[in-house]
Amino acid sequence: MISEHLFNKSSHELLNYVQINYQGQTSFNNFTDNALERLLNTSSNAFLTLTTKSLIKLFDNYELNTSQPEIVTKQKDTEENEFIDNLMETDVMLHVMHFLSLKGFVKNDIQAYKNILKEIWFHLYSRTKGINGTSGFEHVFIGERKPRKGIIGLHNWISFFFGELSNKINYYGFSRNKEFVNKAVILDTYFTYFGKRKRSTMFIGTSPELEIAIYTLCFFTRPNKRCKMSFTGFKFDIQTYVSQNNGKKFIGSAFPILGKI
């Protein structure tokens, strides 16, 4: 019920400005480029909301390599806080955080909401040799390069669009998709990122606040498990993984799933 409420409260105008070129189907076992064109062609009108504007500001703030420490400057910290402030101006985020407070996961206070979002999404922790070179936000929304594992993360369509635009991402095709009444899409996609193979599932056409809301919801209520959700009556899962450091828990990863992985 809560996932349907969040979907209904979210703005669905973004998909109106996005053209999705699915092209050919492919798989990781047969990793061939079955897409001559980019996956996404997007009008600049898609990026006019406060949350999308502040999201895009964050894309150049991170070191891709997990073996390199992240340096958080005052400007980067300000941009993270601006994004969180803008999230908390939306009905979607207010609704999910209030829901979590009723369930006892967070204190019912706007500043407490902002503090917990800052901690679970932006607090730095290590994926490689004790180096604080990652955060939940970087992993989910931008992607990372991990030694000997290649590219990990990257489950956000806006970041994917800019990756294609800059030729960092080469879309190869997809395996499955689900469209929600011309309001949003879940896509299981294949591509290369800086020349490294990657499979990823992501929403397309969704707002940053809806993605942050449902991932945060599942992080607290179904950590390290499949979190059962539905949009317009269609059931799907969100998988979250939790990373721990010094007794605190942070988002390790979060993404949608269609059927079996």
Side-chain angles (χ1 to χ4, degrees), residues 154-257:
L154 182 52
H155 302 286
N156 176 254
W157 69 274
I158 299 176
S159 176
F160 190 97
F161 165 74
F162 282 103
E164 284 194 293
L165 205 61
S166 61
N167 294 318
K168 297 174 183 175
I169 289 176
N170 181 16
Y171 172 62
Y172 270 46
F174 75 105
S175 60
R176 288 172 293 184
N177 68 310
K178 171 61 185 177
E179 298 186 359
F180 298 97
V181 198
N182 298 318
K183 294 181 177 180
V185 173
I186 296 178
L187 186 66
D188 191 343
T189 181
Y190 296 82
F191 55 95
T192 58
Y193 190 22
F194 289 102
K196 302 293 185 180
R197 293 184 183 186
K198 183 74 176 77
R199 174 191 180 186
S200 179
T201 51
M202 64 184 73
F203 293 101
I204 299 177
T206 42
S207 65
E209 55 266 30
L210 180 60
E211 293 187 28
I212 291 283
I214 61 175
Y215 293 153
T216 300
L217 172 67
C218 292
F219 169 82
F220 281 107
T221 60
R222 301 289 187 272
N224 295 314
K225 298 177 182 178
R226 286 197 175 201
C227 183
K228 297 187 181 301
M229 315 201 86
S230 71
F231 289 167
T232 65
F234 178 83
K235 296 179 181 179
F236 63 96
D237 294 341
I238 297 292
Q239 176 70 60
T240 60
Y241 291 106
V242 177
S243 292
Q244 299 191 51
N245 188 9
N246 294 327
K248 293 186 176 182
K249 296 180 179 180
F250 313 105
I251 289 174
S253 189
F255 50 89
I257 297 175

Side-chain angles (χ1 to χ4, degrees), residues 1-230:
M1 288 176 63
I2 181 69
S3 58
E4 291 284 6
H5 285 316
L6 294 173
F7 189 72
N8 290 335
K9 283 181 174 293
S10 181
S11 169
H12 298 298
E13 295 180 358
L14 295 183
L15 197 60
N16 295 334
Y17 305 114
V18 181
Q19 178 186 352
I20 306 174
N21 299 318
Y22 292 115
Q23 300 168 81
Q25 290 184 287
T26 190
S27 70
F28 215 79
N29 292 329
N30 183 26
F31 201 87
T32 54
D33 192 345
N34 289 326
L36 297 179
E37 300 177 0
R38 296 203 304 259
L39 169 66
L40 300 175
N41 288 305
T42 303
S43 163
S44 59
N45 291 333
F47 309 128
L48 297 180
T49 68
L50 289 177
T51 53
T52 54
K53 285 180 178 179
S54 52
L55 172 71
I56 291 166
K57 285 183 182 180
L58 299 174
F59 288 163
D60 63 354
N61 283 3
Y62 302 96
E63 165 60 52
L64 191 70
N65 197 326
T66 61
S67 63
Q68 297 296 318
E70 292 289 348
I71 306 299
V72 181
T73 63
K74 184 177 180 180
Q75 179 180 347
K76 291 178 181 179
D77 184 62
T78 299
E79 290 176 352
E80 291 173 359
N81 293 336
E82 177 187 317
F83 179 57
I84 292 171
D85 289 343
N86 288 334
L87 287 174
M88 292 312 308
E89 292 292 326
T90 67
D91 289 342
V92 174
M93 284 305 302
L94 286 171
H95 190 80
V96 77
M97 297 308 287
H98 182 63
F99 176 85
L100 289 170
S101 72
L102 291 176
K103 298 299 181 181
F105 290 105
V106 298
K107 183 181 177 182
N108 186 19
D109 174 80
I110 291 293
Q111 191 56 51
Y113 295 166
K114 292 180 180 181
N115 291 343
I116 196 66
L117 290 173
K118 178 80 169 185
E119 180 171 290
I120 66 173
W121 280 103
F122 291 99
H123 184 88
L124 296 177
Y125 59 89
S126 174
R127 293 184 194 270
T128 305
K129 297 180 179 179
I131 298 166
N132 286 336
T134 189
S135 68
F137 177 84
E138 180 188 7
H139 180 88
V140 174
F141 281 81
I142 300 169
E144 305 173 280
R145 181 189 290 123
K146 190 172 183 180
R148 294 186 296 277
K149 283 196 174 183
I151 297 297
I152 57 175
L154 182 52
H155 302 286
N156 176 254
W157 69 274
I158 299 176
S159 176
F160 190 97
F161 165 74
F162 282 103
E164 284 194 293
L165 205 61
S166 61
N167 294 318
K168 297 174 183 175
I169 289 176
N170 181 16
Y171 172 62
Y172 270 46
F174 75 105
S175 60
R176 288 172 293 184
N177 68 310
K178 171 61 185 177
E179 298 186 359
F180 298 97
V181 198
N182 298 318
K183 294 181 177 180
V185 173
I186 296 178
L187 186 66
D188 191 343
T189 181
Y190 296 82
F191 55 95
T192 58
Y193 190 22
F194 289 102
K196 302 293 185 180
R197 293 184 183 186
K198 183 74 176 77
R199 174 191 180 186
S200 179
T201 51
M202 64 184 73
F203 293 101
I204 299 177
T206 42
S207 65
E209 55 266 30
L210 180 60
E211 293 187 28
I212 291 283
I214 61 175
Y215 293 153
T216 300
L217 172 67
C218 292
F219 169 82
F220 281 107
T221 60
R222 301 289 187 272
N224 295 314
K225 298 177 182 178
R226 286 197 175 201
C227 183
K228 297 187 181 301
M229 315 201 86
S230 71

